[in-house]
Amino acid sequence: MKIVVGDRNILPHREQFESGLPVGAEVIWCVPFDEGRVIGELADADVYVGGKFSAAMGAAAPKLRMVHVAGAGTDNVDRSGLGPDVQVCSTFHHEQSIAEYVVAATVMLRRQFLQQDRALRSGVFATAVYDPSIAQPLSLSGARIGFVGFGHIGRRTWQLFQAYGAVGAAVTGSGRAPDGGLQWVAGTEDLGELADFADVLVVSAPLNERTRGMIGVEELRRLGKDGVLVNVGRGPLVQEQPLFDALSRNEIAAAAIDVWYRYPGPDGVGEPSVLPFRDLDNVLMTPHSSGVTHHTFVGRVADIASNIDALAASINR
């Protein structure tokens, strides 16, 4: 069995990954990702492991049986070049790490720690203790958390928020969610009601035709001037220009953005948006790193190796 790996996040766990594969498996590491090199290796490959899979890659892989994303989203897999019997797999294990990010970012933004850090570097103690124009910030006790999507990430994040005494509600594609102490759950048609409810809007829905651009001018207006948005789903779930406008005009208080509208090449250099979010002092910008921890990828590597093992067993039956 030939396995081509194009995801550099697997490389730190190479020993664990290779030790979990079927006996005799050949692993080709195309890290950093280079599509031309990957295409050259796919002609006789059985499995591809990586986050991006193009139609050209599919056309070059007549023997392929599995594409395995080293994460939850498969939106960067172009299935047009894949045969009907090719399995497209994903894996999770990021929910704890992302939940920690969401809570930490929420505390940082609601308590205005970003602004305080910048001010203190200039010798200014920017708190209500010294400046009566600055309002005393709010803790998480009693904060209303609205979840747009309530899957692995939403459920684990909600467990952490509950420890702080927050209250929550959610909208989901099905209009249902596991019983977890939320005040209410509704379908996405009630997204505006959720924005009215929320002090903090946590976005972790999957990106698809129905969810793209689901949060725009109206939802941000209803979130309001004290509202905080945290996007750990996909950038285009939130409309780019309305989000920038709402932040720059202080129509919402702040945002933590971990998922973006543009991504760089393998060198990791590039602007995340055509708009200058970097110039705003009420934005926490992170490079799609909320789930990138050792804990996450130890679990993902185990899942990927296990799924490849199952594929090999099915071939050999």
Side-chain angles (χ1 to χ4, degrees):
M1 171 175 279
K2 180 177 178 180
I3 302 158
V4 179
V5 181
D7 192 318
R8 75 170 72 215
N9 293 301
I10 305 299
L11 192 57
H13 310 279
R14 179 172 184 165
E15 183 177 351
Q16 176 197 350
F17 177 66
E18 293 185 346
S19 68
L21 296 174
V23 175
E26 175 190 11
V27 184
I28 305 298
W29 293 88
C30 295
V31 175
F33 175 82
D34 180 286
E35 185 166 342
R37 185 184 169 207
V38 169
I39 286 174
E41 295 288 353
L42 285 175
D44 57 346
D46 300 285
V47 177
Y48 177 72
V49 179
K52 177 186 176 183
F53 193 86
S54 67
M57 290 164 66
K63 291 182 57 183
L64 203 66
R65 294 173 178 268
M66 176 183 286
V67 174
H68 209 309
V69 177
T74 59
D75 46 294
N76 284 323
V77 175
D78 187 332
R79 299 172 191 245
S80 63
L82 294 174
D85 297 329
V86 178
Q87 300 178 51
V88 177
C89 303
S90 62
T91 175
F92 294 87
H93 296 282
H94 54 251
E95 51 268 30
Q96 174 66 30
S97 300
I98 296 179
E100 292 173 3
Y101 171 94
V102 172
V103 174
T106 298
V107 171
M108 184 173 291
L109 293 172
R110 278 170 57 89
R111 298 281 298 276
Q112 300 178 353
F113 289 151
L114 287 178
Q115 292 91 331
Q116 291 173 13
D117 173 83
R118 294 188 188 101
L120 195 54
R121 291 171 191 273
S122 300
V124 177
F125 285 65
T127 82
V129 173
Y130 298 101
D131 184 345
S133 70
I134 298 175
Q136 294 177 342
L138 299 170
S139 75
L140 285 180
S141 179
R144 299 186 302 273
I145 314 298
F147 292 93
V148 183
F150 201 67
H152 291 75
I153 295 169
R155 292 195 297 272
R156 183 61 186 136
T157 303
W158 173 227
Q159 290 170 355
L160 298 189
F161 271 123
Q162 284 179 291
Y164 289 86
V167 297
V171 297
T172 69
S174 67
R176 300 186 300 274
D179 182 15
L182 295 171
Q183 288 196 352
W184 54 269
V185 178
T188 53
E189 65 275 8
D190 289 322
L191 180 55
E193 295 297 324
L194 186 72
D196 285 336
F197 165 86
D199 299 312
V200 181
L201 198 63
V202 179
V203 184
S204 63
L207 179 65
N208 54 47
E209 292 178 359
R210 292 182 294 105
T211 61
R212 183 179 293 273
M214 67 191 304
I215 297 170
V217 172
E218 179 63 13
E219 291 76 21
L220 294 168
R221 182 190 67 78
R222 294 174 75 164
L223 180 59
K225 64 182 181 62
D226 296 321
V228 170
L229 182 139
V230 182
N231 190 1
V232 291
R234 288 290 186 268
L237 293 168
V238 184
Q239 294 174 31
E240 188 174 11
Q241 187 72 56
L243 177 59
F244 179 82
D245 291 344
L247 287 163
S248 60
R249 297 168 184 167
N250 295 310
E251 293 167 356
I252 64 172
I257 310 173
D258 186 52
V259 286
W260 289 95
Y261 304 94
R262 298 170 65 186
Y263 279 83
D267 64 355
V269 177
E271 291 292 340
S273 171
V274 296
L275 302 172
F277 283 93
R278 63 182 176 276
D279 295 340
L280 304 178
D281 67 0
N282 56 349
V283 181
L284 173 64
M285 300 174 63
T286 50
H288 207 149
S289 59
S290 62
V292 181
T293 66
H294 180 85
H295 170 89
T296 296
F297 281 95
V298 164
R300 287 180 173 179
V301 165
D303 275 359
I304 295 167
S306 177
N307 286 341
I308 294 172
D309 264 342
L311 175 66
S314 70
I315 293 171
N316 295 326
R317 275 205 289 266

